Amino acid sequence: MTGPVPLSAPLSGFAFAGDTLDRADALRDDADALARLWPSARVLMLDDDGRARVQADGSLLACEGASLGGGPGASLFLGLRDGLAWFAAHARHHAVHAPAWLDLRRAAATWPAFESGVFAMARALLHWQSSTRFCSACGGDITFRRAGYTAHCAQCGKDHYPRVDPAVIVAVSDGERLLLGRQASWPPRRYSVVAGFVEPGETLEQTVLREVMEEARVRVRTCRYLGAQPWPFPGALMLGFCADAEPDVPQVDGELEDARWFTFDEIDAALARDGDEDGEGLLLPPAISIAHALIAHWHAGMRARSAAASGETLR
């Protein structure tokens, strides 16, 4: 299989990027409208560890605003869906019983896309609130405005907004193989695609070239954007790329414990046993991640190219 990998289906299959809310920005300044929406609203309760209140079977347990009484108060307005408002709140602010609590990674693997996406949004925003206690400019006390989306400093008047950290994540190929690396803290045999945060003054394409060179000493020739995933652990935006690179021998010195090229057959075998831990072979990133989707996208493109070369028809 030689030559560039042809375009395949759009990048898909990962969590937090599907069906979502109308964020209804104009309502964030309308306290009266939010109060009217509150009684019929759905309220996600999160504990101090960012876990959601769920039923005993692990399904989402969202309160109605009317059952909590009062009004939105310190709850964070997430948006609307079919006229119904959704809010998020810290469980410590409400005396509610929780049959169980579920973390976001496990919820993303089992919940419908809409529910896991709302949970991801709530977790990221509440984490930002809990970590934004004082003004970073003067150290003054802050108060939250605009239904929880603006942290206003009472001392210097500066406004702070939810933080999102952009990062590139890239499936690098030399035309035959896929470059994967691993960190020492990961489970044995797990490898993933290269990723890294965007630095000031960089374009996304420049970040791709720099990160791949820094982490594996591999020279990227070209790259192309494929799609993005909000990654609320705690607040990154993963910008997915594919890249064509020179067949350099990977070298690591720092962040990665190992990096190497994997053949189509090795990736094919890893995808075939995805989720089944048999103690052998390559382990891929979790299926909820854009990293997994990028690997599957490269695999599909290589398979399509091989089939085209041999005159086969893919089903």
Side-chain angles (χ1 to χ4, degrees), residues 35-305:
R36 290 193 297 270
L37 289 166
W38 177 256
S40 61
R42 298 293 180 266
V43 185
L44 275 70
M45 293 288 180
L46 273 64
D47 68 7
D48 291 338
D49 294 322
R51 299 177 302 173
R53 178 174 177 253
V54 296
Q55 304 278 8
D57 65 359
S59 59
L60 175 63
L61 178 54
C63 301
E64 285 193 352
S67 70
L68 299 173
S75 298
L76 197 152
F77 174 62
L78 300 176
L80 301 172
R81 191 190 198 203
D82 299 329
L84 191 69
W86 286 74
F87 289 82
H90 285 288
R92 64 176 178 267
H93 295 159
H94 300 274
V96 294
H97 171 67
W101 298 93
L102 189 68
D103 68 81
L104 181 55
R105 292 178 191 271
R106 287 193 293 164
T110 57
W111 286 8
F114 170 75
E115 292 183 354
S116 63
V118 173
F119 183 4
M121 180 182 177
R123 186 187 188 280
L125 287 167
L126 289 175
H127 180 274
W128 168 72
Q129 283 194 345
S130 65
S131 60
T132 307
R133 308 296 295 276
F134 302 98
C135 176
S136 60
C138 73
D141 293 331
I142 59 96
T143 57
F144 290 101
R145 298 180 173 181
R146 302 201 74 236
Y149 281 80
T150 302
H152 178 76
C153 177
Q155 182 165 291
C156 72
K158 184 178 179 64
D159 287 330
H160 304 269
Y161 303 95
R163 174 172 173 169
V164 176
D165 298 315
V168 300
I169 183 164
V170 52
V172 180
S173 176
D174 67 353
E176 301 290 337
R177 302 168 297 175
L178 184 66
L179 178 68
L180 300 180
R182 63 168 278 105
Q183 297 182 16
S185 61
W186 290 355
R189 308 190 326 279
R190 172 162 289 171
Y191 282 75
S192 186
V193 290
V194 173
F197 288 105
V198 180
E199 294 189 351
E202 278 188 326
T203 67
L204 301 180
E205 294 82 1
Q206 288 170 340
T207 306
V208 169
L209 270 65
R210 176 182 58 78
E211 283 291 341
V212 177
M213 174 56 70
E214 287 180 355
E215 294 193 8
R217 311 306 296 176
V218 170
R219 295 167 294 167
V220 168
R221 295 193 300 264
T222 62
C223 64
R224 178 167 55 86
Y225 174 76
L226 294 177
Q229 180 185 35
W231 191 245
F233 303 105
L237 177 64
M238 306 304 295
L239 301 156
F241 284 79
C242 63
D244 297 319
E246 301 293 344
D248 299 323
V249 176
Q251 304 173 55
V252 297
D253 181 21
E255 182 175 344
L256 295 181
E257 177 187 62
D258 185 33
R260 54 193 175 99
W261 296 105
F262 287 83
T263 66
F264 174 84
D265 289 341
E266 289 174 305
I267 300 297
D268 188 61
L271 287 170
R273 64 172 177 274
D274 213 4
D276 295 329
E277 174 53 274
D278 57 6
E280 298 180 2
L282 169 67
L283 290 181
L284 299 179
I288 67 169
S289 67
I290 193 173
H292 188 283
L294 286 166
I295 293 170
H297 186 270
W298 176 85
H299 175 269
M302 294 292 285
R303 185 167 177 261
R305 192 181 72 188

